[in-house]
């Protein structure tokens, strides 16, 4: 049953929808042209649709439209430039360098701009070897533009007909990742699971959770229509997303000393029922995701009352033995809170979502959007070797232009030059680890896909069956492109070979040439990532550490306002929480890339590993503290709380001060004003819980300060060129 739901989820999901859209955009005009006897023209139209389709990444409709239009306009300029210099190898080499550098630098703006730049680079490479005469300059361009406009019309029409479908799919995907995150947290109650290894997996999963939540925000909140729409679908999705984010935060607050929990309670066999109950919660989240993705109203599959009662009975039995069970009771409270969020989601329907979104949520929705506008000041500021984007752009320009010139000088085949350059463009990434990973995936995918394509052509003579397989390979390849790159290449390669077979190309020679060109391009990309302006994460993680410390400081500092007796607005709280999530995800991504670098480059891995784990613990306990403080009576606050909070923030400030900012970074200003509260001799239960949380946060903040100091000291032991990324800014 689970497997059937997974398969159904894939076919309802965004990845298959994207693959189907690109397939329709590319295959329909090709079929029409083949029917009319214009195969070559159909191929060009299909290519134009593919370029624009790949630039049509998920997001707000206005952003998608702008991205597709930018691809078409910049693609026209790129085509005109490259075809008019094709007569000269030296001129073409120069313009390949200039254009590939410029398009690679688009990454400083945002991910969509980077994709547009990549498509323009692909168009440039596609035309570098074409023999252009006065009579055929405009027709290839015209057909390519027609293909791009056709895909854009198709995409925007689908959005117009089903404006919230993409939001549903992305929301469902984000819920699945939250479920996976909580599933990993359940592993902490399993004695057979390594706690440190599980923390690393947890941080990796948090990166993915943040990525999808940011995508949902982008789609839902780009305009207030999502919340105000009279159909109430936008309101419904917004309510669910808000609850999922709060549920995710609640899972973060369930943070304890898991080694101590295993030591204190493992021998009583009580932890496995906790794990199973949490896993039931994750299955319920999966169920909600399946339903939303299938455009159905979610219905509960479990009743948790009996599970909670069994956990309470187990805890009570330990109480009778005189064992301290407060941590277990806190875990049960957290599980109950998560279940309440699930019950909220199940209670929503088309008749009750209208009045449930507070006006503050409507007015502040736009504040949660990350606005990546095209800022040319940002472009200029990145024209420095300290910028990883600039180093990557220089590397891309040097490698593509140098490879083109060299292969022309040795009279390499025109198709071989194109495939080699294409392989370099696809494989060469800003970081060494990403280049290495993509290199292996493309090589294996091309080899296996080449064998599959050759087998189809040699053993299946029927053209109609081949064409049907071509469509299937195309659909599978682009449906899996963002899920599993190696499998996607396995499908795209036979699609290309079958397509070329219709043009009369010798398939065996084409397979051999494609594999050789891929290996050559992969080798060039791999070597160049080592020697041409290498971008090592070990010298680039300073900004992420500083940003994360500042985000945690600002998040915890909200307790000052609560202790002062002032009301903390939902918007300010959620914005600070969002910044912590984003900074944590960026730091987690950086650490993952560090682990893929050569061993001799991993000079900070031990310290950074400890830092990201301590940070995860700190942010989880900060969320727990803010929840407790906000729910406690004002009479529970006292002077010791302020003292402990000041100590925790002071330790964070010391860590922030250790890492100097760039000149263009905003100067961090620590909090100076704290409330004056009375001393309290007899604490109530709420006050004691707050004291315990603040004591723990003071300790963890001190540990974060120490590990930051260790990183700085470690950098001081290295050569000046190694230290620039950490100390000098």
């Amino acid at each position: 049953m689970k497997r059937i739901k997974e398969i159904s989820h894939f076919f309802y999901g965004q990845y298959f929808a994207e693959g189907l859209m690109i397939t329709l955009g590319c295959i329909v005009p090709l079929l029409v042209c083949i029917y009319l006897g214009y195969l070559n023209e159909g191929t060009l139209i299909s290519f134009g649709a593919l370029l624009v389709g790949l630039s049509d990444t998920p997001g707000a409709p206005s952003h998608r439209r702008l991205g597709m239009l930018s691809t078409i306009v910049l693609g026209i300029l790129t085509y005109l430039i490259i075809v008019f210099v094709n007569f000269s190898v030296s001129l073409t080499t120069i313009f390949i360098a200039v254009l590939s550098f410029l398009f690679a630098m688009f990454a400083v703006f945002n991910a969509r701009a980077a994709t547009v730049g990549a498509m323009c680079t692909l168009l440039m490479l596609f035309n570098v070897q074409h023999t252009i005469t006065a009579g055929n300059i405009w027709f290839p361009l015209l057909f390519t533009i027609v293909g791009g406009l056709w895909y854009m019309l198709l995409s925007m029409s689908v959005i117009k007909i089903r404006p919230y479908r993409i939001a549903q799919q992305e929301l469902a995907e984000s819920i699945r990742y939250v479920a996976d995150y909580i599933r990993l947290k359940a592993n902490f109650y399993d004695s057979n699971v390594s706690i440190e290894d599980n923390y690393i997996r947890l941080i990796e999963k948090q990166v993915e959770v943040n990525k999808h939540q940011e995508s949902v925000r982008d789609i839902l909140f780009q305009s207030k229509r999502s919340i105000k729409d009279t159909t109430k679908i936008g309101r419904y999705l917004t309510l669910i997303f808000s609850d999922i984010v709060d549920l995710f935060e609640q899972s973060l607050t369930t943070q304890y000393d898991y080694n101590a929990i295993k030591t204190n309670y493992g021998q009583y066999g009580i932890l496995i029922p906790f794990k199973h109950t949490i896993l039931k919660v994750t299955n319920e989240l999966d169920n909600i995701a399946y339903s939303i993705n299938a455009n159905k109203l979610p219905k509960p599959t479990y009743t948790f009352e009996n599970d909670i009662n069994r956990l309470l009975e187990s805890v009570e039995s330990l109480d009778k033995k005189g064992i301290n069970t407060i941590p277990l009771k806190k875990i049960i409270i957290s599980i109950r809170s998560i279940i309440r969020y699930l019950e909220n989601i199940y209670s929503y329907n088309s008749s009750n979502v209208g009045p449930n979104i507070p006006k503050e949520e409507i007015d502040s929705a736009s504040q949660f959007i990350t606005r990546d506008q095209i800022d040319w000041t940002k472009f200029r500021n990145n024209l420095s070797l300290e910028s990883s984007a600039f180093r990557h752009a220089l590397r891309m320009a040097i490698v593509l232009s140098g490879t083109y010139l060299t292969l022309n000088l040795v009279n390499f085949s025109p198709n071989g030059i194109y495939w080699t350059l294409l392989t370099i463009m696809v494989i060469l990434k800003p970081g060494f680890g990403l280049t290495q990973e993509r290199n292996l995936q493309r090589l294996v995918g091309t080899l296996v896909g080449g064998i599959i394509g050759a087998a189809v052509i040699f053993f299946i003579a029927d053209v109609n069956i081949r064409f049907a397989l071509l469509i299937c390979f195309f659909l599978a390849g682009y449906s899996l492109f963002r899920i599993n790159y190696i499998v996607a290449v396995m499908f795209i390669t036979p699609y290309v070979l079958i397509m070329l077979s219709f043009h009369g190309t010798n398939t065996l020679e084409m397979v051999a040439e494609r594999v050789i060109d891929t290996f050559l391009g992969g080798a060039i990309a791999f070597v160049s990532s080592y020697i041409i302006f290498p971008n090592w994460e070990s010298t680039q993680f300073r900004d992420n550490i500083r940003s994360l410390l500042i985000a945690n400081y600002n998040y915890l500092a909200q307790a000052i306002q609560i202790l002062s007796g002032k009301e903390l607005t939902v918007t300010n709280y959620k914005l600070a929480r969002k910044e912590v999530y984003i900074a944590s995800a960026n730091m987690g991504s950086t650490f993952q890339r560090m682990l893929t670098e050569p061993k001799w480059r991993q000079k900070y891995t031990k310290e950074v590993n400890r830092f990201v784990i301590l940070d995860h613990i700190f942010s989880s306990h900060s969320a727990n503290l803010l929840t407790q403080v906000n729910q406690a009576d004002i009479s529970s606050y006292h002077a010791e709380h302020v003292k402990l909070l000041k100590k925790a923030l002071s330790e964070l400030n010391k860590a922030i001060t250790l890492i100097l900012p760039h000149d263009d970074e905003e100067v961090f200003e620590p909090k100076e004003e704290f409330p004056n509260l009375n001393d309290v001799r007899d604490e109530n239960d709420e006050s004691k819980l707050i004291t315990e949380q603040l004591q723990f946060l003071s300790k963890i903040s001190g540990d974060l300060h120490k590990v930051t100091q260790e990183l700085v000291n470690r950098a001081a032991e290295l050569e000046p060129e190694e230290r620039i990324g950490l100390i000098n800014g």
Side-chain angles (χ1 to χ4, degrees):
M1 187 65 180
K2 177 78 171 176
R3 179 63 61 183
I4 294 174
K5 285 187 175 181
E6 289 285 348
I7 294 172
S8 175
H9 182 77
F10 172 75
F11 285 111
Y12 277 118
Q14 59 174 325
Y15 302 121
F16 182 75
E18 290 172 9
L20 184 60
M21 181 78 73
I22 292 177
T23 301
L24 290 174
C26 296
I27 299 300
V28 169
L30 183 61
L31 284 172
V32 172
C33 289
I34 290 175
Y35 177 76
L36 297 175
Y38 297 102
L39 176 60
N40 290 333
E41 290 79 0
T43 302
L44 288 170
I45 294 174
S46 179
F47 178 66
L50 179 63
L51 287 176
V52 176
L54 291 178
S55 70
D56 184 27
T57 54
S62 59
H63 290 182
R64 296 177 68 174
R65 182 170 54 250
L66 179 60
M68 289 185 282
L69 280 174
S70 299
T71 301
I72 293 172
V73 173
L74 291 174
I76 293 172
L77 295 176
T78 302
Y79 174 86
L80 293 176
I81 291 171
I82 204 68
V83 298
F84 278 111
V85 299
N86 256 343
F87 68 91
S88 167
V89 172
S90 56
L91 276 177
T92 304
T93 301
I94 293 171
F95 276 96
I96 286 177
V98 172
L99 292 175
S100 57
F101 172 81
L102 179 64
F103 292 142
M105 282 296 292
F106 279 13
V108 305
F109 299 128
N110 52 53
R112 190 178 301 279
T115 304
V116 171
M119 293 305 101
C120 291
T121 303
L122 176 59
L123 178 63
M124 175 187 68
L125 298 180
F126 185 74
N127 289 283
V128 291
Q129 288 298 322
H130 288 185
T131 302
I132 303 297
T133 64
N136 68 357
I137 290 177
W138 303 108
F139 283 109
L141 176 61
L142 176 63
F143 291 127
T144 303
I145 294 172
V146 168
L149 292 174
W150 149 251
Y151 179 89
M152 185 175 172
L153 176 64
L154 178 65
S155 176
M156 299 313 295
S157 298
V158 171
I159 293 174
K160 193 73 173 177
I161 295 169
R162 305 189 72 183
Y164 293 108
R165 185 60 189 143
I166 297 172
Q168 284 178 305
Q169 292 169 331
E170 188 62 51
L171 176 59
E173 201 65 25
S174 72
I175 294 172
R176 291 291 307 278
Y177 278 101
V178 171
D180 289 340
Y181 178 88
I182 298 175
R183 205 168 276 124
L184 285 171
K185 297 213 74 169
N187 287 339
F188 284 123
Y189 303 97
D190 189 334
S191 59
N192 297 320
V193 174
S194 166
I195 289 178
E196 184 168 330
D197 291 344
N198 200 53
Y199 264 123
I200 297 302
R201 290 192 292 270
L202 200 66
I203 292 164
E204 291 174 359
K205 189 60 63 176
Q206 186 176 351
V207 173
E208 296 172 338
V209 169
N210 179 76
K211 174 185 173 183
H212 285 277
Q213 288 187 347
E214 281 297 290
S215 181
V216 176
R217 285 190 185 96
D218 183 49
I219 296 169
L220 279 180
F221 298 152
Q222 278 298 337
S223 74
K224 296 175 184 178
R225 174 186 175 187
S226 306
I227 304 177
K228 294 181 176 178
D229 196 288
T230 54
T231 64
K232 300 181 181 178
I233 299 175
R235 292 173 178 259
Y236 174 67
L237 297 176
T238 301
L239 280 170
I240 293 178
F241 177 65
S242 179
D243 278 334
I244 288 298
V245 174
D246 290 340
L247 183 152
F248 177 58
E249 183 190 35
Q250 184 63 52
S251 72
L252 283 172
T253 64
T254 313
Q255 185 70 44
Y256 303 99
D257 185 343
Y258 293 107
N259 282 315
I261 286 179
K262 286 183 179 181
T263 301
N264 296 334
Y265 308 112
Q267 67 269 32
Y268 301 108
I270 195 175
L271 297 183
I272 294 302
F274 273 86
K275 178 181 178 180
H276 288 164
T277 302
I278 296 171
L279 290 178
K280 278 189 175 182
V281 169
T282 65
N283 292 338
E284 202 72 5
L285 282 168
D286 284 337
N287 175 60
I288 292 172
Y290 294 146
S291 299
I292 292 173
N293 201 32
N295 200 24
K296 297 177 181 177
L297 198 66
K299 296 181 180 179
T301 56
Y302 294 118
T303 301
F304 288 96
E305 185 177 351
N306 292 334
D307 298 280
I308 295 296
N309 288 336
R310 280 193 290 269
L311 292 178
L312 288 171
E313 289 171 3
S314 301
V315 171
E316 287 174 4
S317 66
L318 293 183
D319 277 334
K320 293 176 181 178
K321 296 178 182 178
I323 299 171
N324 177 20
T325 59
I326 291 178
L328 297 179
K329 291 176 181 176
K330 289 181 181 178
I331 296 170
I332 293 175
I333 292 172
S334 181
I335 294 173
R336 274 179 162 167
S337 298
I338 290 175
I339 292 171
R340 278 196 292 272
Y341 285 118
L342 296 177
E343 292 170 347
N344 286 344
I345 292 171
Y346 284 126
S347 71
Y348 301 144
N349 57 59
S350 59
S351 64
N352 71 0
V353 298
N356 286 345
I357 303 179
K359 186 177 186 301
E360 181 184 354
E361 294 282 344
I362 298 174
D363 295 338
S364 64
S366 60
Q367 297 182 48
F368 291 89
I369 305 166
T370 303
R371 300 189 183 278
D372 295 322
Q373 298 178 340
I374 304 301
D375 182 1
W376 290 101
T377 301
K378 192 175 182 180
F379 185 93
R380 290 194 298 271
N381 290 341
N382 275 273
L383 295 177
S384 163
L385 284 176
E386 292 183 6
S387 167
S388 59
F390 181 77
R391 296 165 74 91
H392 172 64
L394 273 181
R395 190 185 315 119
M396 183 73 78
I398 293 170
V399 175
L400 286 180
S401 59
T403 301
Y404 170 81
L405 178 62
T406 303
L407 294 182
N408 270 283
L409 291 176
V410 299
N411 293 320
F412 211 67
S413 69
N415 279 334
I417 294 175
Y418 166 69
W419 286 119
T420 303
L421 294 177
L422 176 64
T423 300
I424 292 171
M425 188 205 83
V426 172
I427 289 177
L428 198 58
K429 298 296 177 185
F432 172 84
L434 290 175
T435 300
Q436 183 184 38
E437 180 184 10
R438 184 58 64 92
N439 200 345
L440 179 62
Q441 290 174 340
R442 187 166 182 85
L443 293 177
V444 174
T446 300
L447 186 60
V448 175
I451 294 172
I452 294 172
V456 168
I457 292 169
F458 281 121
F459 294 107
I460 300 177
D462 192 302
V463 175
N464 293 323
I465 296 177
R466 281 192 195 179
F467 196 84
L469 287 173
L470 177 146
I471 295 174
C472 291
F473 287 141
F474 191 93
L475 176 59
Y478 286 102
S479 296
L480 296 169
F481 199 77
R482 290 205 292 141
I483 303 175
N484 192 319
Y485 181 74
I486 187 172
V487 177
V489 174
M490 288 180 187
F491 285 113
I492 293 173
T493 300
Y495 155 76
V496 172
L497 295 177
I498 295 172
M499 174 64 75
L500 290 171
S501 73
F502 292 146
H503 290 268
T505 305
N506 185 302
T507 306
L508 185 60
E509 288 183 6
M510 191 62 213
V511 170
E513 185 177 321
R514 177 85 193 270
V515 171
I516 292 172
D517 297 338
T518 301
F519 272 84
L520 176 60
I524 293 171
F526 181 76
V527 172
S528 67
S529 65
Y530 251 110
I531 63 176
I532 301 177
F533 301 111
N535 187 34
W536 307 112
E537 291 296 338
S538 55
T539 61
Q540 299 291 327
F541 61 85
R542 179 200 67 84
D543 290 338
N544 287 330
I545 286 181
R546 180 178 170 81
S547 297
L548 183 51
L549 289 169
I550 292 174
N552 273 313
Y553 185 100
N554 292 332
Y555 186 50
L556 180 59
Q558 293 179 108
I560 298 173
Q561 186 172 341
I562 302 174
L563 292 177
S564 301
K566 300 176 183 177
E567 184 180 357
L568 180 64
T569 64
V570 174
T571 300
N572 289 339
Y573 172 75
K574 289 188 175 182
L575 285 171
R577 179 182 67 184
K578 173 177 174 272
E579 292 304 315
V580 171
Y581 290 170
I582 293 173
S584 296
N586 290 338
M587 188 67 235
S589 298
T590 298
F591 179 60
Q592 290 176 36
R593 293 192 295 270
M594 287 179 67
L595 294 177
T596 63
E597 293 181 347
K599 292 294 183 182
W600 63 273
R601 292 297 320 179
Q602 297 183 20
K603 299 178 180 180
Y604 303 101
T605 306
K606 180 180 177 181
E607 293 85 356
V608 175
N609 179 34
R610 186 159 169 251
F611 180 90
V612 295
I613 291 176
L614 285 172
D615 168 76
H616 186 83
I617 295 171
F618 183 87
S619 59
S620 298
H621 280 277
S622 295
N624 200 355
L625 171 74
L626 289 170
T627 301
Q628 290 177 358
V629 171
N630 208 29
Q631 294 174 351
D633 187 86
I634 192 170
S635 61
S636 301
Y637 312 150
H638 54 75
E640 182 64 18
H641 292 158
V642 177
K643 179 181 177 182
L644 290 169
L645 179 60
K646 287 177 69 174
K647 181 182 177 184
L649 292 174
S650 175
E651 292 291 341
L652 286 180
N653 183 39
K654 291 176 184 176
I656 293 167
T657 305
L658 285 171
I659 303 179
L660 301 178
H662 284 300
D663 293 337
D664 58 343
E665 286 187 10
E666 185 178 346
V667 177
F668 171 71
E669 296 182 0
K671 302 293 181 181
E672 299 290 344
E673 296 183 3
F674 290 82
N676 293 318
L677 299 180
N678 297 326
D679 293 326
V680 175
R681 294 181 180 179
D682 297 323
E683 288 188 309
N684 57 31
D685 290 341
E686 284 185 336
S687 184
K688 287 179 181 178
L689 286 174
I690 294 172
T691 302
E692 289 175 3
Q693 282 293 324
L694 283 168
Q695 287 173 341
F696 188 79
L697 283 168
S698 297
K699 177 183 179 303
I700 296 298
S701 61
D703 292 338
L704 281 170
H705 176 208
K706 288 177 183 176
V707 74
T708 305
Q709 183 68 65
E710 289 173 10
L711 279 165
V712 173
N713 293 341
R714 181 83 177 107
E717 298 173 0
L718 305 175
E719 296 80 13
E721 62 269 20
E722 296 284 343
R723 296 162 52 193
I724 187 171
L726 183 63
I727 299 177
N728 296 335

